[in-house]
Amino acid sequence: MRIGAIEAGGTKFICGIAETTYGQYGWEKPVIRESVSIPTTIPEITLQACLEFFSSAEPVERLGIASFGPVELDPLSPQYGFITTTPKPGWKQTDIVGFFKNALQIPVFFDTDVNGAVLSEHRWGNGRGLSDFVYITIGTGIGGGIMANGKLIHGAMHPELGHFLPQKHPQDVFAGLCPFHGACLEGLASGPAIAARWGIPGEKLPDDHQAWDMEAYYLAQASAMLAMTLATRRILLGGSVGMRPGIVEKARKILSPVLGSYLSWLDTQEAIESFLMNPLLGNQAGILGAAALTLD
Amino acid sequence: MRIGAIEAGGTKFICGIAETTYGQYGWEKPVIRESVSIPTTIPEITLQACLEFFSSAEPVERLGIASFGPVELDPLSPQYGFITTTPKPGWKQTDIVGFFKNALQIPVFFDTDVNGAVLSEHRWGNGRGLSDFVYITIGTGIGGGIMANGKLIHGAMHPELGHFLPQKHPQDVFAGLCPFHGACLEGLASGPAIAARWGIPGEKLPDDHQAWDMEAYYLAQASAMLAMTLATRRILLGGSVGMRPGIVEKARKILSPVLGSYLSWLDTQEAIESFLMNPLLGNQAGILGAAALTLD
């Protein structure tokens, strides 16, 4: 089967043709045959360029769009398939699903970029075989998706895992930079928060800098909160900060004292190693996520 | 249909005969025909007394047990149906499901007391019609259950909603009393935490005492965390503290500033009122919860 896939990001849209076959264990990990990267300028230009790519490529049977948010996912809403209240100039109330449905006349599947990543990790990555796990991406912002009982959690909208209020690290005097909450997880532990706290972008901070112990503390606390709240079986830390070498290992070390031996199922080193890890699909997670949206 | 129901608590076991009929909207709210309250002493005595009640009552077709925890809920575990690591003397590793299955030779359904309450509120209470909501009980401890996509979340065990780490109230100098985490939600906002902070049990604190603003702050923060994490559609605050008159109203007032207008679907007074409320079934939630476990 040939699937159209769009990873719709705030700086670029990646369009691809994903080919997969139905094998012994379900749909196999798609091969991306062609792809193109289109800058995110204004909808009229960006969406038109995506359309030209799909019109000139081999025809696809379905289209999956894994999008930056917030997006409307309630199928009963007249705004289903819209990018809604984004601060990104020109993109507020953009009917992205309607645009492609009308133009291509094929079924279009739509969810957040992180929910796409959850589905692709579930099918082909480190969430394989798990009915309950969480994917968190830590980069410019912090977002995430949750699978429980084998289904994505949507609720009234979609999870916003970056915006709960963690306890401050005892040595952290930074006030946090979330415009809504100040010291929420995103305000304290996103890439921009690290840069603002230390005056240097994270990429330039050495591995033995105190910044990473503090970062690991916040990621451990988010992981503990999710373990307590959901009894989830695994947490995948992605994004440029989550994928930084050594971060997962540091967060694992702090997780045990944060949990305080309360959860018997997480009370061994082995259990913690299997609980907290990076996603497997790396920078393919977005486009494979868009493809995965079409397969449920 | 006649259902046997056991609300297995740390101080008493309530056994009841619940009668329900299948009506236009599914199983109707059961009527409790007979019931008995048995003190929780040691398993040999308490479970035997329960058995005598069911043996002398009209026969039942199924038995539901909504139990204090922690309990083993993994059907693949050899300890399925056990109360496991409880500190309660004599009850560690008690095979409660096995006991009744062997003695009564009928199907036995088993979950935590709070998960039972989630199911009963879903069928007959303030969770009716909602595929995504949370029930939290605030009393001697703090626990809760989560329904997402119309199913209870179990994950690796069951949610432990009382043990995440909230941000401290700026005027709260109490260190928290959870033996595992100190200042987790249970350590800061349970009944014993209120009594230890102010030196007086909550029941004796007047309605205009600062204690209730602080309590409402922690409950609002837990509610915000669940709104962010799950985009859940409603939170029911139960238990002796959650049901105290005025607490829900106070928590609603604090919830808006804690959310910081981030979630558009929760950004009106009307939405907050529909989001945060008490459960409907009151002190019948336990026994109806046990009955509800048998109906899924």
Side-chain angles (χ1 to χ4, degrees):
Chain A
M1 180 162 64
R2 259 199 311 277
I3 301 164
I6 301 178
E7 177 187 358
T11 55
K12 59 183 190 286
F13 275 47
I14 298 175
C15 301
I17 308 292
E19 267 186 25
T20 176
T21 50
Y22 198 83
Q24 197 178 351
Y25 304 106
W27 290 106
E28 284 173 8
K29 184 176 154 187
V31 175
I32 306 298
R33 289 282 173 219
E34 303 175 59
S35 72
V36 65
S37 174
I38 295 160
T40 310
T41 55
I42 56 168
E44 293 73 19
I45 296 177
T46 304
L47 299 184
Q48 193 58 42
C50 294
L51 187 58
E52 277 159 26
F53 167 79
F54 288 111
S55 304
S56 65
E58 298 173 273
V60 294
E61 296 171 46
R62 309 168 177 192
L63 178 67
I65 306 172
S67 177
F68 71 102
V71 294
E72 178 59 65
L73 300 176
D74 179 354
L76 300 179
S77 163
Q79 301 209 304
Y80 171 78
F82 283 46
I83 292 173
T84 57
T85 59
T86 175
K88 199 163 175 62
W91 288 86
K92 204 165 281 189
Q93 306 302 343
T94 298
D95 180 10
I96 182 167
V97 167
F99 176 85
F100 287 104
K101 216 172 214 170
N102 287 337
L104 298 172
Q105 300 282 325
I106 55 173
V108 177
F109 300 80
F110 183 61
D111 211 320
T112 62
D113 42 10
V114 280
N115 275 342
V118 171
L119 292 181
S120 60
E121 288 290 330
H122 187 233
R123 285 186 177 273
W124 309 301
N126 281 338
R128 191 151 192 166
L130 293 177
S131 56
D132 297 81
F133 75 100
V134 178
Y135 172 92
I136 308 180
T137 173
I138 307 110
T140 311
I142 297 183
I146 299 173
M147 178 157 286
N149 292 317
K151 300 271 177 207
L152 286 171
I153 287 186
H154 284 109
M157 193 174 75
H158 47 73
E160 287 285 357
L161 294 183
H163 293 274
F164 84 100
L165 305 177
Q167 276 182 8
K168 291 282 291 277
H169 187 285
Q171 278 143 46
D172 188 6
V173 294
F174 181 58
L177 51 58
C178 173
F180 296 94
H181 313 111
C184 63
L185 185 69
E186 183 168 296
L188 292 169
S190 62
I194 296 169
R197 179 185 289 112
W198 304 104
I200 311 171
E203 309 88 86
K204 299 202 178 152
L205 287 168
D207 286 345
D208 60 355
H209 194 283
Q210 192 197 350
W212 303 118
D213 295 316
M214 213 171 261
E215 181 69 15
Y217 172 73
Y218 288 121
L219 299 183
Q221 209 184 124
S223 304
M225 181 278 281
L226 292 163
M228 295 293 182
T229 303
L230 301 166
T232 192
R233 290 183 185 272
R234 182 167 289 168
I235 293 175
L236 303 178
L237 298 179
S240 58
V241 177
M243 299 289 282
R244 184 181 164 113
I247 274 287
V248 162
E249 290 74 9
K250 269 188 203 290
R252 283 177 182 155
K253 283 207 188 93
I254 303 176
L255 183 54
S256 284
V258 171
L259 289 170
S261 289
Y262 187 72
L263 301 176
S264 53
W265 55 278
L266 261 184
D267 205 21
T268 64
Q269 191 52 37
E270 204 184 5
I272 295 262
E273 277 173 25
S274 161
F275 179 70
L276 202 57
M277 58 175 73
N278 286 128
L280 185 70
L281 303 173
N283 58 15
Q284 279 217 304
I287 196 79
L288 291 179
L293 289 174
T294 71
L295 299 175
D296 267 338
Chain B
M1 178 161 66
R2 261 199 309 277
I3 301 164
I6 301 177
E7 179 186 357
T11 54
K12 59 183 189 291
F13 275 47
I14 297 176
C15 300
I17 307 294
E19 268 187 25
T20 176
T21 51
Y22 198 82
Q24 198 178 349
Y25 303 106
W27 290 106
E28 285 174 7
K29 184 177 154 188
V31 175
I32 305 300
R33 289 280 174 222
E34 301 176 60
S35 73
V36 64
S37 174
I38 295 161
T40 310
T41 55
I42 56 168
E44 293 73 18
I45 295 177
T46 304
L47 299 184
Q48 192 59 41
C50 294
L51 186 58
E52 278 160 25
F53 168 78
F54 287 111
S55 303
S56 64
E58 299 172 274
V60 293
E61 296 172 44
R62 310 167 176 192
L63 177 68
I65 305 172
S67 177
F68 71 102
V71 294
E72 178 59 65
L73 299 176
D74 180 353
L76 300 178
S77 162
Q79 300 209 304
Y80 171 79
F82 282 47
I83 293 172
T84 57
T85 60
T86 175
K88 198 164 176 60
W91 288 85
K92 206 166 279 188
Q93 308 302 344
T94 298
D95 180 9
I96 182 166
V97 167
F99 176 85
F100 288 104
K101 217 173 215 169
N102 287 338
L104 297 172
Q105 300 283 324
I106 54 175
V108 176
F109 300 80
F110 183 62
D111 210 320
T112 62
D113 40 11
V114 281
N115 275 342
V118 172
L119 292 182
S120 59
E121 288 290 332
H122 187 234
R123 285 187 177 272
W124 309 300
N126 282 338
R128 191 151 191 166
L130 293 177
S131 57
D132 297 80
F133 75 99
V134 177
Y135 171 92
I136 308 180
T137 174
I138 308 109
T140 311
I142 296 183
I146 300 172
M147 177 157 286
N149 292 317
K151 300 270 177 208
L152 286 171
I153 288 187
H154 285 109
M157 193 172 74
H158 47 73
E160 287 283 359
L161 294 183
H163 293 272
F164 84 100
L165 304 177
Q167 276 182 9
K168 290 283 290 276
H169 187 286
Q171 278 142 46
D172 188 5
V173 293
F174 181 58
L177 49 60
C178 173
F180 296 95
H181 313 110
C184 64
L185 185 68
E186 183 168 296
L188 292 170
S190 62
I194 296 169
R197 179 186 289 112
W198 304 104
I200 312 172
E203 307 90 86
K204 299 201 178 154
L205 287 168
D207 286 345
D208 61 354
H209 194 283
Q210 193 197 351
W212 304 117
D213 295 316
M214 212 171 262
E215 181 69 15
Y217 172 74
Y218 288 120
L219 298 183
Q221 208 184 126
S223 303
M225 181 278 279
L226 292 163
M228 297 293 182
T229 303
L230 301 166
T232 192
R233 289 184 185 271
R234 182 167 290 169
I235 293 175
L236 303 178
L237 298 180
S240 57
V241 177
M243 298 288 282
R244 183 181 165 113
I247 274 288
V248 162
E249 290 74 9
K250 269 189 204 290
R252 283 177 182 155
K253 282 207 188 92
I254 304 175
L255 183 55
S256 283
V258 171
L259 289 169
S261 289
Y262 186 72
L263 301 176
S264 54
W265 56 277
L266 261 185
D267 205 21
T268 64
Q269 190 53 35
E270 205 185 3
I272 295 263
E273 277 172 26
S274 160
F275 179 70
L276 201 58
M277 58 175 73
N278 286 128
L280 185 69
L281 303 174
N283 58 16
Q284 279 217 304
I287 195 79
L288 291 179
L293 289 173
T294 71
L295 299 176
D296 265 338

